[in-house]
Amino acid sequence: MPVLATARSRAGATLLGLVTAATVGAAAPAAAEPVTTDSVLVWYDATAAAITAGGATTQVTNNRTWAIAWLAAARAQNTTHSPLGRRAALAGAVHQTLATLIPGQQAAADATLAAELAALPDRKPVRDGVAAGRAAAQRLIAERTGDGLDPASVNTPFTVPAAAPGVWQPTPPAYAPAAQYGNRVARPFVLRSAAQFRPAAPPALGTERYETDLAEVKAYGSATSTVRTQAQTDTATFWLGSSLTLYTPILRAAVAQSPASIADRTRLVALFHVAAVDTQIATSDAKYAYQRWRPVTAIQAGGDTAWLPLHATPAHPDYPSGHNTYSGSAEGVLTGLTGPHARQPYTIGSPTAPGVTRTYTDWHQPSVENVDARVFSGIHTRNADLAGIRLGSDVARYVLRQAPALLR
């Protein structure tokens, strides 16, 4: 599968060091960081909990909150060489962001901040670090105001075109209005434009590739499929949930296993979510540029009017697959900054498969499963999935190239 360039994988383990050097400059090596509390995980879990409890209804808006909080922290950490100062800068930036963007969760953020500060000495580097973090968050929140990533802007109404072969139409059972149409004109963090990495057009109707892909979905993605195995059904169900929800524990595993500094791991979280935001903007650009119909529409139009997918089709066009653009972006950042393999096996669950867990040893296998899952669910063609992986990977690669400037 064309997920990541081999050369990029080989270079992955060194990229974070290059980003760090370019950002911090000639900073002297810091003393060993406090190990009594892993502050990066403390604030990671606090961010995840705040978004779960009080986040937006749109996924990209929640990725934006992550990106602002952790990018502000990374920038604030540049102002100090003190490990205590960097820990305090992380606390100040993430707390300020959560209190501002998810005010209903301020009490929980306040409690996390109080516990963190109680564990730190009352010294000038700590006080200065908290202040730097707060200031960086306030500046970045101001910079991102009006970026088009609020839920109302993301879901700007879309006028459905007249029905025609290949053209997207609302899908059963809900026939819901198109979602994420406004996302295509939101302001990226790094991309020059939403169309910068727009994939080539999907296969034309009637071509061999088009017919092969559609036949695969028809056979394996049907609600009443007789060829889909139980293992394939399980894969489809496991990966059906929100990409943000599914990838939050994957990123956490990378952060928890990393031996890198507080500053380096802060940058990892920041760049992951910056890339996720820009990827989703690029995804909507491509989806609404091509407006390719979903498999259920194509199959029913071809005469099998009773055909339905295993899982309900999301309310936006087929090409490219949003789950797979997210997966390609996630794999790209994780591979680029930590290498292709996890240091230890990690296990995740799924909100759409309660009680079920899966264990992985690298960042690539989730992408493989995401590609298959959308076909087995009956909601995407394989070509749309693979184009999604490529698009997310392209965005991730570009974000990492631009990271030194972004993190200043």
Side-chain angles (χ1 to χ4, degrees), residues 53-341:
T57 55
T58 43
Q59 175 177 273
V60 70
T61 310
N62 293 324
N63 281 115
R64 173 188 184 268
T65 298
W66 274 99
I68 288 174
W70 288 77
L71 180 56
R75 289 175 174 176
Q77 287 170 346
N78 294 335
T79 65
T80 177
H81 303 323
S82 161
L84 288 175
R86 289 177 179 169
R87 182 174 170 180
L90 172 63
V94 178
H95 176 268
Q96 183 68 45
T97 303
L98 296 181
T100 304
L101 299 183
I102 315 179
Q105 297 302 305
Q106 180 164 355
D110 288 348
T112 302
L113 179 65
E116 274 290 280
L117 294 182
L120 297 175
D122 184 16
R123 296 179 186 168
K124 188 175 188 299
V126 172
R127 294 191 295 273
D128 289 349
V130 171
R134 290 193 186 286
Q138 290 166 343
R139 285 193 299 271
L140 190 49
I141 290 168
E143 288 174 19
R144 298 302 303 179
T145 298
D147 61 8
L149 291 169
D150 59 283
S153 298
V154 167
N155 286 325
T156 298
F158 171 68
T159 301
V160 178
V167 177
W168 182 83
Q169 299 291 301
T171 53
Y175 296 94
Q180 301 170 15
Y181 178 58
N183 210 24
R184 78 203 194 288
V185 296
R187 172 159 47 93
F189 277 85
V190 177
L191 292 181
R192 295 192 300 272
S193 76
Q196 184 174 344
F197 295 107
R198 184 186 291 174
L205 273 61
T207 61
E208 181 179 359
R209 180 58 191 268
Y210 172 82
E211 296 295 344
T212 298
D213 278 358
L214 195 61
E216 181 186 27
V217 179
K218 184 176 181 179
Y220 286 88
S222 169
T224 58
S225 174
T226 59
V227 296
R228 186 182 59 245
T229 66
Q230 185 60 51
Q232 291 168 336
T233 299
D234 292 345
T235 293
T237 302
F238 189 89
W239 286 100
L240 185 62
S242 150
S243 291
L244 172 60
T245 300
L246 286 159
Y247 267 93
T248 294
I250 295 178
L251 176 58
R252 190 188 192 282
V255 171
Q257 293 179 18
S258 172
S261 67
I262 284 178
D264 284 352
R265 293 190 297 152
T266 298
R267 294 180 184 109
L268 171 59
V269 178
L271 292 171
F272 182 100
H273 285 284
V274 165
V277 169
D278 282 13
T279 292
Q280 288 171 86
I281 292 171
T283 299
S284 290
D285 164 78
K287 280 182 178 290
Y288 286 100
Y290 295 119
Q291 297 181 27
R292 172 55 61 94
W293 62 5
R294 286 281 187 160
V296 63
T297 308
I299 292 168
Q300 289 187 359
D304 193 346
T305 57
W307 190 93
L308 288 172
L310 172 64
H311 295 125
T313 301
H316 39 72
D318 178 59
Y319 184 88
S321 160
H323 262 57
N324 282 287
T325 60
Y326 198 109
S327 191
S329 171
E331 182 185 348
V333 172
L334 291 170
T335 299
L337 296 184
T338 72
H341 300 286

